[in-house]
Amino acid sequence: KEGLERHIKQVHEQIKNYHCEECEYRTYSGANLRLHVSKMHTKVDNERVCQFCNIKTRSLDYHLRIYHTDEKFKLKQQQQEEAKNKQESQDQQDHQQSQQDQQISQTHQDDDSKSSQQQFESTLLSPPKKEI
């Protein structure tokens, strides 16, 4: 119903209720007004290049939805797969680092135990000190 009402206002009644604040331009669409302002007043280039066919378009989302649905879906899958692989790789690196840290810690503990054992044995084997 809204689409029909919009069509009647725009096409048949030609109601232009969007006004440019910088000039006399009037239009029936907010999108048209934004396009006008960007082209005429801000000189911002709103064109984007499609990553699949290198066409320049001002409405990349629309272009992708209409012309590249399959490619966009495949690209999204590929990006998700890459993110998953990156996370798995990071998890594996974290696991390896944790194992290395545990080995180092165990080595230090073993060294400390050996040192303590040697000190204990040396006290047992050394002759008692004589008092003078």
Side-chain angles (χ1 to χ4, degrees):
K1 185 178 178 180
E2 291 175 14
L4 178 59
E5 289 174 3
R6 184 175 51 236
H7 168 81
I8 291 170
K9 285 181 181 178
Q10 292 173 354
V11 177
H12 300 291
E13 296 174 0
Q14 295 185 352
I15 296 175
K16 296 180 179 180
N17 50 358
Y18 291 89
H19 313 269
C20 179
E21 294 179 1
E22 299 185 38
C23 69
E24 298 297 317
Y25 180 79
R26 298 167 68 92
T27 184
Y28 57 83
S29 156
N32 284 352
L33 180 59
R34 286 189 298 276
L35 183 61
H36 162 79
V37 170
S38 71
K39 288 175 81 176
M40 303 306 290
H41 302 298
T42 62
K43 304 296 185 197
V44 173
D45 184 11
N46 286 338
E47 289 188 329
R48 302 290 180 253
V49 177
C50 174
Q51 60 198 22
F52 300 112
C53 65
N54 294 324
I55 283 182
K56 280 187 171 184
T57 179
R58 284 191 173 83
S59 181
L60 186 59
D61 289 338
Y62 175 81
H63 174 82
L64 291 172
R65 189 172 61 246
I66 298 302
Y67 297 105
H68 301 293
T69 304
D70 291 339
E71 289 96 334
K72 191 175 176 183
F73 177 73
K74 289 175 188 174
L75 179 64
K76 189 173 184 177
Q77 280 185 319
Q78 181 182 358
Q79 289 170 339
Q80 288 173 341
E81 186 67 28
E82 288 172 358
K84 179 183 168 191
N85 290 342
K86 185 177 179 181
Q87 184 61 48
E88 288 174 353
S89 175
Q90 183 63 48
D91 290 347
Q92 188 176 20
Q93 288 175 357
D94 291 347
H95 179 71
Q96 289 173 346
Q97 184 64 46
S98 175
Q99 286 181 324
Q100 289 173 353
D101 292 346
Q102 286 176 352
Q103 288 174 346
I104 290 170
S105 177
Q106 185 62 43
T107 301
H108 288 303
Q109 287 176 358
D110 291 348
D111 290 346
D112 290 346
S113 294
K114 286 179 185 176
S115 176
S116 296
Q117 182 67 27
Q118 288 171 347
Q119 286 176 351
F120 177 72
E121 289 174 356
S122 71
T123 58
L124 291 177
L125 298 176
S126 63
K129 293 183 179 180
K130 294 182 182 179
E131 291 185 27
I132 304 177

